[in-house]
Amino acid sequence: DWSSDVCSSDLDYMSAVPVLRLPLSVDLGGFVKLLQRMQVPHRVSEEAGEQVLWVPETISDDVRVLYQRFPAGDPDQQLDIPEQAPVTRPGVVQQVRHSPVTALVLLASLIVGAVTLLGENLQAMAWLTFLPFRVMGEYIQFTPLADTLASGQWWRLVTPMLIHFGILHLAMNGMWYWELGRRIEARQGSINLLGLTLLFSLASNFAQYTYGGPGLFGGLSGVLYGLLGHCWIYQLLSPNPAYRLPRGVLVMMLVWLVLCLSGLVSMIGFGEIANAAHVGGLAIGCLTGLLGGLYSRRKSTIR
């Protein structure tokens, strides 16, 4: 759907902002050539019957001024933008500042991982599991869900997402949450990401409990499949560079889901997989992506 791909490799989707929204009848060719010649990172996308020009946020005002002066482009004009601004990539500190909720969830997961010794410290883990439990010899006794909620322990509906069993489990989930969480936070804001994270955790935990009964389960995987479904469907309905996932990512995660459902992953030594949590997260994520994408497209059409 892109009408211009030049310099796009230098464009950081997390810091890109739309600077122009123009009818499809407007010829942006000359101005795009001007940006290409001056090596300004940019993308042109088509959204709701408009063409949208995206550039790094640090030079957005300068590009707007440039278009006002030279909408058709000017081969003799030099750009009055600091040379390093277009190619400067945000550092870790800047990315964390732009994605506070993403960073906060990952930090909480790291802290919980350290306190619970990645699932080895059952006494500490018992405060965050879906159901309270007691170890009785070789058995674990769980408190019924109704009694748990009646005692006011509502936090347990979402806190299992912070529990991880092993460093690989934490590292893989953390990496994907950083990738998907930042995209949603950049596109829809921190509050929406927090709400979606809690919703996906709630839905995936309930799905796993309903399907598998009382048990010890945890991890961000259910949330990740929710974020994936959200970005996937949202992008289909209201295309946006922030949600444009590499083609292989969606295929890989869906194939992994099928392999987990088949039991093959558990057979080769990865342990028990909370498949119901994955499916539940993906389903509710597709639903929120549908609602959010339709709302975004409607808002763009009205504007």
Side-chain angles (χ1 to χ4, degrees), residues 184-255:
I184 293 177
E185 194 162 7
R187 178 69 176 89
Q188 295 183 257
S190 300
I191 297 299
N192 281 329
L193 174 62
L194 179 60
L196 289 173
T197 297
L198 295 178
L199 174 62
F200 297 156
S201 180
L202 174 66
S204 60
N205 291 336
F206 253 113
Q208 184 60 36
Y209 170 75
T210 301
Y211 177 79
L216 297 180
F217 57 85
L220 278 166
S221 299
V223 174
L224 294 179
Y225 273 100
L227 299 180
L228 177 71
H230 182 83
C231 289
W232 176 25
I233 303 302
Y234 199 112
Q235 172 70 5
L236 291 177
L237 297 173
S238 181
N240 185 280
Y243 286 3
R244 189 181 177 90
L245 297 172
R247 294 178 180 177
V249 169
L250 179 62
V251 174
M252 181 190 70
M253 293 193 71
L254 292 179
V255 168

Side-chain angles (χ1 to χ4, degrees), residues 99-283:
S99 310
V101 170
T102 305
L104 182 62
V105 171
L106 292 179
L107 178 61
S109 298
L110 289 172
I111 293 174
V112 169
V115 172
T116 62
L117 302 179
L118 294 174
E120 296 293 329
N121 187 342
L122 294 179
Q123 184 177 2
M125 194 170 67
W127 287 95
L128 301 173
T129 51
F130 193 75
L131 297 176
F133 66 87
R134 291 187 303 168
V135 179
M136 304 180 66
E138 296 181 355
Y139 300 94
I140 296 179
Q141 182 181 37
F142 291 93
T143 302
L145 178 59
D147 295 343
T148 300
L149 299 181
S151 64
Q153 301 183 51
W154 293 87
W155 70 85
R156 294 182 181 276
L157 299 179
V158 297
T159 51
M161 72 177 182
L162 302 176
I163 301 173
H164 288 86
F165 304 97
I167 188 65
L168 182 61
H169 188 207
L170 176 59
M172 292 298 294
N173 282 351
M175 178 188 70
W176 282 113
Y177 189 83
W178 176 249
E179 178 64 26
L180 296 173
R182 286 188 306 147
R183 291 174 182 270
I184 293 177
E185 194 162 7
R187 178 69 176 89
Q188 295 183 257
S190 300
I191 297 299
N192 281 329
L193 174 62
L194 179 60
L196 289 173
T197 297
L198 295 178
L199 174 62
F200 297 156
S201 180
L202 174 66
S204 60
N205 291 336
F206 253 113
Q208 184 60 36
Y209 170 75
T210 301
Y211 177 79
L216 297 180
F217 57 85
L220 278 166
S221 299
V223 174
L224 294 179
Y225 273 100
L227 299 180
L228 177 71
H230 182 83
C231 289
W232 176 25
I233 303 302
Y234 199 112
Q235 172 70 5
L236 291 177
L237 297 173
S238 181
N240 185 280
Y243 286 3
R244 189 181 177 90
L245 297 172
R247 294 178 180 177
V249 169
L250 179 62
V251 174
M252 181 190 70
M253 293 193 71
L254 292 179
V255 168
W256 178 256
L257 177 61
V258 172
L259 290 176
C260 290
L261 289 171
S262 71
L264 180 62
V265 174
S266 297
M267 289 174 57
I268 61 178
F270 278 87
E272 293 298 320
I273 306 297
N275 292 314
H278 296 172
V279 174
L282 181 62

Side-chain angles (χ1 to χ4, degrees), residues 10 39-41 56-59 62 81-89:
D10 292 328
Q39 298 184 347
V40 176
E57 185 176 8
T58 54
I59 60 169
D62 298 289
I81 299 178
E83 292 184 0
Q84 294 184 352
V87 297
T88 298
R89 296 181 181 276

Side-chain angles (χ1 to χ4, degrees), residues 73-97:
D74 187 336
D76 299 322
Q77 179 66 29
Q78 297 298 320
L79 184 61
D80 294 327
I81 299 178
E83 292 184 0
Q84 294 184 352
V87 297
T88 298
R89 296 181 181 276
V92 174
V93 174
Q94 185 178 358
Q95 291 183 49
V96 169
R97 188 180 299 116

Side-chain angles (χ1 to χ4, degrees), residues 26-39:
V26 174
D27 184 8
L28 264 180
F31 187 68
V32 166
K33 289 181 180 179
L34 179 62
L35 297 180
Q36 292 171 350
R37 184 166 55 255
M38 297 173 178
Q39 298 184 347

